[in-house]
Amino acid sequence: MNAASPSILAALSPSDNEELAQRRAVLAEIDASCRGPLLFLFSGSIIWLLVGTVFALLASLKLHNPEYLANYSWLTFGRVRPAHLNAVIYGFASEAAIGVTLWLMCRLCRTPLLFGWIINAAGVFWNLGVTIGVVAILAGDSTGIEWLEIPPYATPILFVSYALIAVWGVITFRFRREKHLYVSQWYLLAALFWFPWIYSAAQILLVLDPVRGTVQAAVNWWFAHNVLGLWFTPIGLASIYYFIPKVLGKPVYNYSLSVLGFWSLALFYNWNGMHHLVGGPMPAWLITVSIVASVMMTIPVITVGINHHLTMWGSFRELKTSPVLRFMVFGGMSYTLTSLHGIALALRSVSEVTHFTHSTIAHSHQGMYAFFTMVMFGAIYYIMPRVLQVDWPSARLIRVHFWAVAIGILLYVFPLIVGGTLEGMAMTNPDVPFVDAVKPSVVSLTLPYLKTRSYSGMLIFLGHLAFAISFGWIVLRWAQAGRLARLKTSLARV
Amino acid sequence: MNYGPILFLGIFLTVASSWCGLVLIPHLQFGRQQPVKIEETGELYPQSRPGIAQQGMAVYQANGCIYCHTQQVRAEHFGADIARNWGQRRTVARDYIFDKPVMLGTMRTGPDLTNIGLRQNSVTWHLQHLYTPVITSKGSIMPPFRFLFEQRKIGAKPSPDAVPLPKEYAPEPGYEIIPKAEAKALVQYLLSLKASAPLPETR
Amino acid sequence: MSVLWILFVCSLVVLPGIALLAFRWAMRQGEFRHLEKTALSIFDDDEPVGQTTDCFPGGQRGKKPAPTRPPNPISRPRLPEA
């Protein structure tokens, strides 16, 4: 924390504070102020990425090879799968999202990162909570509620951590030195506010004092869909809205449209969750409301799509030279595709076939990985050299990373959508046996697609390794550069 | 849009609206359902599970059965749930009022289990199936749950608990496979899964 | 069924009413004026419009460097020595 930073109390009424009337901070000053917290958060998130990918590979292999590592209770499919989900959602994705949010907030508010210790404390708590949670799931202590498997003795730790981040967000917003609120800011502020609401409401109504019967299912999917819609999606979109124009040096195609895009997302996305329960033991009106809201999502998806793709229009040559742009554009295109696909999946006639099949899994990976994770990769590639003032060590590693994960995820998603749909068509046809020793069955039909997924998973893991090496290397380079600089100053003194 | 407070107000109201619509109103509408008397049998339905089945539910939760098995039957002309004999009727909210947590599930990598207690009512079948699924279901990709069993040296005489196994899956001679308490509880839970009582709202 | 009536009234009268009022208020406040200016707020003298800010390590950054300034290797003015 630099000496000139104001006290937290001043956040109550920052306009009284004369220091804040000063010029907007220089970009380099802002970037440097983020160094400590971002190094911590990004390192944590990359470790969780690797851990989560290993769990994912195990789960994928086990699905078509049930005898693989079958005698260890800790590694049974039903524990490895939620361990994978929680490691990547709460460990990798949320931590990366928080890191990118911090940096974007600072840059968009034009203020250096104040009170870094709040973030560091939050980061420690967050990693502690996720670690306890994942170990507990592997040990058989899961709550059995999808997306909320982390047991109640670990969630308060996560909540404390989150509260610290939210407080930090509000303080930074109060101390802003930029009078314009750029579109990314709306999404970030909304995400920072929405996540604790949905998370605490779901914890209270499902774990601490559960509501009765299938109301639990309603709360569960209201939460689980909103983690994507109100936490990851806004942060992903905020990043694309910042990075594509920034990298190209070209303002957003149509800024007025972004107002429509933001408010329609805020209005419709949080009503979507019940489409996970089509045909389930719930009142029909509840599910219909969600289907209608899902269809209404065409408005934000198309407006955001117009803005992202038309900003990019005419600049595709830059993809050759800019790694950040590659990841961002891949993410932006995936967002449009996955959203339109999701809208189709919500319809009753489609859901009748695809519900309960692997095509849902393909869809969620298209959203969480092909869109969100790719955007986070791009953001980290942009942020790290600026924060550390050292360039990435190897262009080749970045290329390996990009192509491995891009081909990997395409190989994951599209075959599995096809396989899942075929699976659903077989499942809704009672003449096809569910499982059979010799005859083609619902189960045997999916096997080739499940195997393809394992191969794609290996490719993605390779990409993650390249990324982790790159990251470790740039940090090492930065540490060496620091040592060199210290050496020079001490020599100069002699 | 440069004014913070109105932005915050909008952000608050939008999520509050869906909280009311998708959480609060469902709770008011069907969050306080009670068991009803079934005319044919004169019994109250549903009833809460006996203790051992409740323990079995914890085993079901811990081992993530929910990631491959649903516990919901869709209506007759929506999917092939009833045609596949996964239930005689669709399930409704009242079927679940004693479940904590409700494990409807979202994947059918394996078949639906709403009525598994009716379809397979033999303890031996379930124990064999949990020990090595392909004994009872050829072609299955369900993982074996052998860690819920113990391999023991046969004492003076074979234990009555020992799981009868076909030759190719049996342990070496002189040994027997005994289910642990978790396996027994899990089987009791599976046997307790049935939603067939003719509720008034399903007629 | 009474639930449906509540939803009906909410969706057709109350929520659109609030939205309309909020929209009118925002219009009068001038929240939607000069939107395009905000789109430019992420650029400044260090990173002006028309200059790309990213490339593979070892490549050349800065497509059209601002005429008065030397090509800026994006954006990394040295920090003042601490």
Side-chain angles (χ1 to χ4, degrees):
Chain A
M1 201 162 68
N2 64 48
S5 68
S7 79
I8 293 181
L9 279 180
L12 295 174
S13 176
S15 53
D16 296 346
N17 196 319
E18 261 183 43
E19 284 161 18
L20 289 177
Q22 66 185 278
R23 54 163 181 88
R24 305 187 303 181
V26 190
L27 294 181
E29 187 188 332
I30 296 170
D31 292 342
S33 71
C34 294
R35 188 184 300 139
L38 285 197
L39 261 180
F40 182 32
L41 287 169
F42 288 158
S43 312
S45 94
I46 287 169
I47 292 169
W48 280 116
L49 178 68
L50 293 179
V51 172
T53 320
V54 170
F55 285 141
L57 262 179
L58 278 178
S60 181
L61 289 169
K62 278 165 163 282
L63 216 46
H64 54 78
N65 189 5
E67 284 289 336
Y68 179 59
L69 295 175
N71 292 336
Y72 306 94
S73 63
W74 286 59
L75 295 179
T76 190
F77 175 80
R79 298 192 192 179
V80 171
R81 185 195 179 284
H84 155 65
L85 185 136
N86 284 280
V88 294
I89 292 295
Y90 298 104
F92 159 68
S94 293
E95 221 171 316
I98 293 168
V100 171
T101 302
L102 297 183
W103 184 82
L104 281 176
M105 283 285 281
C106 290
R107 271 214 164 188
L108 293 168
C109 292
R110 299 269 177 181
T111 164
L113 186 134
L114 304 167
F115 315 115
W117 59 270
I118 297 184
I119 300 300
N120 289 334
V124 171
F125 276 115
W126 191 268
N127 281 295
L128 187 71
V130 178
T131 309
I132 296 176
V134 169
V135 172
I137 289 167
L138 291 175
D141 228 357
S142 153
T143 61
I145 302 166
E146 286 188 76
W147 290 78
L148 289 165
E149 287 92 348
I150 295 183
Y153 46 78
T155 41
I157 308 177
L158 289 179
F159 198 80
V160 168
S161 160
Y162 195 84
L164 289 173
I165 289 160
V167 166
W168 176 90
V170 172
I171 294 175
T172 304
F173 189 68
R174 296 284 286 165
F175 278 119
R176 69 185 185 276
R177 296 171 190 170
E178 166 68 62
K179 70 177 193 312
H180 293 289
L181 280 185
Y182 186 64
V183 44
S184 301
Q185 288 265 68
W186 316 335
Y187 283 107
L188 295 178
L189 289 172
L192 283 177
F193 177 81
W194 281 330
F195 184 72
W197 178 316
I198 57 169
Y199 193 68
S200 52
Q203 281 294 334
I204 292 168
L205 298 174
L206 289 176
V207 182
L208 298 183
D209 183 19
V211 285
R212 190 159 231 216
T214 48
V215 183
Q216 287 176 24
V219 179
N220 191 179
W221 288 106
W222 173 76
F223 168 77
H225 202 88
N226 281 348
V227 178
L228 301 173
L230 302 185
W231 173 233
F232 293 121
T233 302
I235 293 177
L237 294 183
S239 307
I240 300 182
Y241 262 122
Y242 183 81
F243 286 108
I244 288 185
K246 195 71 185 167
V247 169
L248 292 177
K250 192 169 155 186
V252 165
Y253 173 75
N254 184 331
Y255 197 76
S256 313
L257 267 188
S258 61
V259 179
L260 178 64
F262 174 75
W263 287 113
S264 53
L265 178 128
L267 207 53
F268 299 130
Y269 218 147
N270 53 93
W271 284 86
N272 273 9
M274 302 306 123
H275 68 216
H276 288 271
L277 298 165
V278 174
M282 313 284 276
W285 70 263
L286 195 59
I287 291 161
T288 306
V289 165
S290 274
I291 295 175
V292 172
S294 305
V295 174
M296 295 302 278
M297 281 301 292
T298 33
I299 301 172
V301 168
I302 288 176
T303 44
V304 164
I306 289 174
N307 258 342
H308 289 170
H309 307 317
L310 291 187
T311 305
M312 198 49 213
W313 195 254
S315 303
F316 286 104
R317 205 182 301 156
E318 302 297 335
L319 286 176
K320 235 183 128 180
T321 52
S322 164
V324 174
L325 208 57
R326 283 190 192 181
F327 283 99
M328 289 291 161
V329 170
F330 191 100
M333 288 182 169
S334 302
Y335 175 70
T336 309
L337 270 183
T338 193
S339 303
L340 295 176
H341 180 220
I343 292 164
L345 287 180
L347 303 174
R348 274 200 169 84
S349 49
V350 181
S351 183
E352 180 183 357
V353 175
T354 57
H355 195 17
F356 305 130
T357 71
H358 293 290
S359 84
T360 318
I361 304 293
H363 172 63
S364 60
H365 281 79
Q366 197 182 12
M368 261 322 285
Y369 198 97
F371 159 50
F372 185 77
T373 303
M374 292 301 259
V375 168
M376 287 300 108
F377 287 151
I380 294 175
Y381 276 123
Y382 193 87
I383 295 171
M384 285 312 287
R386 286 167 174 76
V387 167
L388 297 181
Q389 311 247 328
V390 187
D391 216 345
W392 287 102
S394 159
R396 186 170 294 159
L397 274 177
I398 300 177
R399 287 202 174 91
V400 169
H401 177 204
F402 176 77
W403 288 111
V405 295
I407 296 172
I409 195 64
L410 293 177
L411 196 65
Y412 182 123
V413 168
F414 290 102
L416 206 57
I417 287 178
V418 173
T421 310
L422 291 176
E423 181 194 1
M425 279 154 64
M427 197 138 52
T428 46
N429 174 5
D431 299 331
V432 181
F434 193 88
V435 64
D436 197 277
V438 272
K439 271 190 282 178
S441 64
V442 178
V443 168
S444 68
L445 184 106
T446 56
L447 284 176
Y449 301 98
L450 297 180
K451 283 176 190 155
T452 314
R453 169 168 63 184
S454 291
Y455 292 123
S456 76
M458 290 170 197
L459 203 55
I460 291 173
F461 185 62
L462 178 80
H464 291 169
L465 276 181
F467 181 48
I469 293 171
S470 255
F471 188 86
W473 196 349
I474 193 177
V475 174
L476 212 68
R477 260 191 160 192
W478 162 73
Q480 277 171 345
R483 212 176 301 141
L484 215 66
R486 273 198 299 279
L487 200 68
K488 260 184 203 158
T489 45
S490 57
L491 280 178
R493 229 177 274 144
V494 177
Chain B
M1 294 225 328
N2 294 322
Y3 189 55
I6 191 78
L7 190 65
F8 269 112
L9 194 69
I11 288 169
F12 171 81
L13 283 179
T14 46
V15 72
S17 76
S18 80
W19 186 80
C20 288
L22 301 183
V23 176
L24 194 61
I25 295 182
H27 177 65
L28 296 176
Q29 191 192 2
F30 59 99
R32 294 188 184 126
Q33 282 183 320
Q34 295 298 329
V36 288
K37 196 172 214 176
I38 304 294
E39 280 172 32
E40 283 85 339
T41 56
E43 280 176 7
L44 278 181
Y45 176 87
Q47 306 218 342
S48 52
R49 285 174 217 292
I52 182 152
Q54 205 66 43
Q55 289 165 22
M57 185 169 177
V59 182
Y60 190 95
Q61 246 172 287
N63 292 297
C65 307
I66 191 183
Y67 301 106
C68 294
H69 295 284
T70 53
Q71 290 186 17
Q72 52 179 317
V73 179
R74 296 186 287 180
E76 181 144 24
H77 297 294
F78 197 77
D81 300 16
I82 289 176
R84 282 190 182 279
N85 195 27
W86 286 341
Q88 279 102 47
R89 61 158 175 90
R90 67 167 300 176
T91 51
V92 292
R94 200 186 303 274
D95 286 316
Y96 302 89
I97 55 178
F98 290 124
D99 290 3
K100 273 181 194 180
V102 167
M103 290 188 276
L104 293 183
T106 47
M107 273 297 274
R108 284 180 175 165
T109 308
D112 184 83
L113 297 183
T114 315
N115 288 295
I116 189 68
L118 293 175
R119 283 211 300 282
Q120 300 290 353
N121 55 11
S122 137
V123 174
T124 310
W125 186 93
H126 279 293
L127 287 175
Q128 288 178 332
H129 182 245
L130 287 174
Y131 182 73
T132 300
V134 285
I135 295 178
T136 55
S137 321
K138 292 271 175 292
S140 167
I141 53 169
M142 174 166 143
F145 289 87
R146 282 193 283 270
F147 53 83
L148 298 178
F149 296 80
E150 247 178 309
Q151 180 167 334
R152 244 195 252 157
K153 206 165 192 155
I154 299 180
K157 56 178 180 182
S159 158
D161 272 355
V163 186
L165 292 167
K167 216 175 244 146
E168 63 265 45
Y169 300 103
E172 48 193 287
Y175 287 87
E176 58 186 0
I177 300 298
I178 309 286
K180 292 185 192 165
E182 290 115 298
K184 288 184 193 166
L186 179 57
V187 170
Q188 284 311 312
Y189 172 66
L190 292 172
L191 291 177
S192 79
L193 287 175
K194 38 186 100 160
S196 59
L199 283 172
E201 59 261 45
T202 62
R203 273 165 226 209
Chain C
M1 284 323 268
S2 61
V3 170
L4 279 185
W5 284 108
I6 300 174
L7 278 180
F8 204 64
V9 173
C10 278
S11 62
L12 288 180
V13 184
V14 180
L15 289 176
I18 295 175
L20 215 65
L21 285 178
F23 184 66
R24 202 183 67 149
W25 178 89
M27 276 305 259
R28 293 201 172 166
Q29 286 281 312
E31 289 287 307
F32 301 124
R33 245 174 277 150
H34 313 305
L35 274 178
E36 302 302 326
K37 217 179 252 172
T38 309
L40 295 173
S41 68
I42 57 169
F43 302 101
D44 58 14
D45 294 343
D46 279 343
E47 297 182 349
V49 173
Q51 183 183 297
T52 56
T53 62
D54 182 63
C55 72
F56 276 102
Q60 277 284 307
R61 279 196 183 107
K63 185 172 58 179
K64 292 175 222 151
T68 50
R69 293 168 155 264
N72 188 346
I74 182 87
S75 64
R76 288 192 208 143
R78 284 281 136 78
L79 273 185
E81 290 293 321

